[in-house]
Each structure stands twice: as structure tokens, then as C-alpha cells.
Amino acid sequence: MTGLSDKDRARDEWAAVERATQRRRAQAARSEGQGEPETAADAAVERIWEAHGPEVKSALAGQGEPVAFLANALVMTGLKTEAELIDMANVGQSLLERIALLTQDGPFKGWTPRDDPAEIVFDLVNHYEDAAGTSPPDPQARIEALEAERDHWKRIAHDRLVSANEQLARAREAEAALTRSKADADLCAEGWAKEIEHGNALRGMVAPMHAALKKAEQFIVNGVELGFIRMPDPGTPDPAHDTLPAIQAALSTLTQEKTNVG
């Protein structure tokens, strides 16, 4: 009842128990000694009242702790004594504690009852019956499966090792080719350096050679014109006819070279 104190509720509850007991006693008296209560709950209520009536009355008078809940608990559970009720409570508490441990991990992790926590007993039985009906794994089959798996990974490792060795061989060939190319490049560079050095030396000789040939040309031209050099007759085969043209051709080449060199 809303708004009532524990003492008021206890008084109301035990008043109802006392009225029910009195009615049953009256019925028993009218049936000439054959008025035994019809149910175990009725018997429990009567026994509770007989055993705890004075205690209840004292509690309601403020002289002890209320025990109305005890009567209701015995009636609802069908038990007869306080000791039985305590034993039942301990069993229930132990069951709930075991369920809490069992459902933390394993096949029953997260298990919850549909209606009654005792359902886990049947679920456990079903689970272990199923497990017992399952044939254990064949050790030889397991060994063969492990060997097959081992062989599979060995083949994979072998293939990868072969591939790695092939890649290493190709890398070494490429390194050797690079080394040869570098050696060839060094030789080419050395040859070009010599050619450049020789070219530079030749360029250094252009100006002196040009000047010398220019003087030789002037000497021959002046000598012929002044009569100091007598040329062979035109029809006479003589190298002297080719000397001045050769000098002039060389001068032309050297003049062009001087222009290219700058």
C-alpha cells in the first residue's frame, strides 16, 4: 500500500493472516474434527500463526522486529519452516552466483534465461549430451592435415626462395653490366680527354703555321716577280709548279680553322 510504513503493512498483512486462520478453524470445528485445511499453504499459514502469533503481536506493539514477511514467504513457497526458507534462499543465491560465473566466458557466455534461471540446468545437459554425441577427431586425419598444410607452406617458401634467387641473379647481372658500362664510359672519357688535348695542341699550332705559310707564299711571289726565282717552263713537268698552289690551299684551310676557333 502506498504511503504506509513497514509497521502498518505488517499489521495489515498479519491481520489478514489471522482472519484466514480463524475462518479455517471455524470450518474445521463445524466438520467435527475433520476440518483439516485443504491445501499445504493453508496448513503453513496455520502453523505460522500458531508458532509466531505472540511474536507478531509483540512486534506490532512495538516490542520486536516485524516478521510478517516470513509468513508470506512461507505461504508463497509452500515451505514449512524458516530453516527450509533459508536453505532455499541459499540454494537460489548459489545458483545465481554460479550462473554469473558460467556466463562470463565459454559456450554459455552472455546466456540469459527466458523465464527461470534454473533453465540453465537443462541447457547444460543438452549442451554436454550434444558434445558427448560428437565423435572425437581422428588423430591420424589430424596428422595428415597438418602434414598437408606443412607441405603447402614448404612449396610456397620454396617458390618464393627460387623467385628471390632469380631476382638476385638478375640484379647481379645488371650490376655487372653497369660496371662494364662505367668502365667503357671511363675509357671513352679518357679518349675524349686525349682528343681534346690533342685538338687544343693543334689549335695552338694554327696561328704559327699560318704565319709561316703566309711568309713562304709572299717569298715565292716576290721572288718570281723580281726575277730572283726562276720558274720552270709551263710545259715542263716540275714540282715547283705545285708549290705555290699547295701553300695557298694550306693557307685557306688554316684561315678557315682560325675563323672557327675564333
Side-chain angles (χ1 to χ4, degrees):
M1 298 179 186
T2 305
L4 296 178
S5 64
D6 291 341
K7 191 171 183 179
D8 292 336
R9 282 196 296 272
R11 184 183 292 110
D12 292 342
E13 291 171 359
W14 276 102
V17 172
E18 186 174 8
R19 287 194 298 271
T21 302
Q22 288 174 354
R23 285 196 301 272
R24 289 184 175 86
R25 285 177 176 174
Q27 292 174 357
R30 285 194 299 271
S31 58
E32 298 178 350
Q34 298 179 0
E36 187 69 23
E38 297 178 356
T39 64
D42 294 335
V45 170
E46 189 168 350
R47 286 195 301 273
I48 292 168
W49 182 255
E50 291 175 352
H52 298 286
E55 184 179 359
V56 171
K57 291 179 180 179
S58 174
L60 296 178
Q63 300 176 6
E65 294 295 329
V67 292
F69 71 89
L70 178 60
N72 284 340
L74 290 174
V75 170
M76 291 175 63
T77 58
L79 300 177
K80 298 178 181 179
T81 65
E82 180 181 358
E84 291 179 353
L85 184 62
I86 292 172
D87 288 342
M88 182 63 70
N90 289 335
V91 170
Q93 182 65 30
S94 178
L95 175 63
L96 293 177
E97 291 175 354
R98 298 307 188 279
I99 290 175
L101 291 174
L102 188 63
T103 55
Q104 289 180 1
D105 201 358
F108 286 88
K109 183 178 181 180
W111 180 91
T112 54
R114 288 183 293 274
D115 298 307
D116 185 351
E119 294 168 7
I120 197 168
V121 176
F122 298 99
D123 290 345
L124 283 168
V125 171
N126 292 334
H127 173 75
Y128 286 107
E129 284 181 350
D130 293 341
T134 304
S135 300
D138 183 6
Q140 183 61 33
R142 179 58 177 164
I143 292 173
E144 292 175 356
L146 290 174
E147 289 178 346
E149 184 176 2
R150 178 200 61 194
D151 294 341
H152 168 71
W153 287 111
K154 283 178 67 176
R155 286 192 297 272
I156 291 177
H158 176 266
D159 293 343
R160 290 180 178 176
L161 180 61
V162 169
S163 177
N165 288 334
E166 291 175 351
Q167 293 178 8
L168 180 60
R170 288 194 294 270
R172 286 175 176 169
E173 290 176 359
E175 182 180 10
L178 181 62
T179 301
R180 290 192 297 270
S181 297
K182 184 177 181 301
D184 293 342
D186 291 341
L187 289 175
C188 289
E190 184 179 355
W192 277 110
K194 291 180 178 179
E195 290 293 331
I196 291 172
E197 182 180 358
H198 181 64
N200 290 334
L202 290 177
R203 289 188 184 94
M205 298 169 60
V206 169
M209 289 174 63
H210 185 274
L213 289 172
K214 192 68 176 173
K215 290 179 179 180
E217 178 191 29
Q218 190 64 45
F219 174 79
I220 293 173
V221 171
N222 292 339
V224 172
E225 290 178 354
L226 296 175
F228 294 108
I229 297 176
R230 181 176 177 275
M231 293 295 293
D233 294 332
T236 303
D238 193 300
H241 294 297
D242 300 325
T243 301
L244 185 60
I247 292 173
Q248 290 173 341
L251 281 171
S252 178
T253 300
L254 291 174
T255 299
Q256 183 62 39
E257 184 66 23
K258 286 178 63 178
T259 302
N260 293 338
V261 173

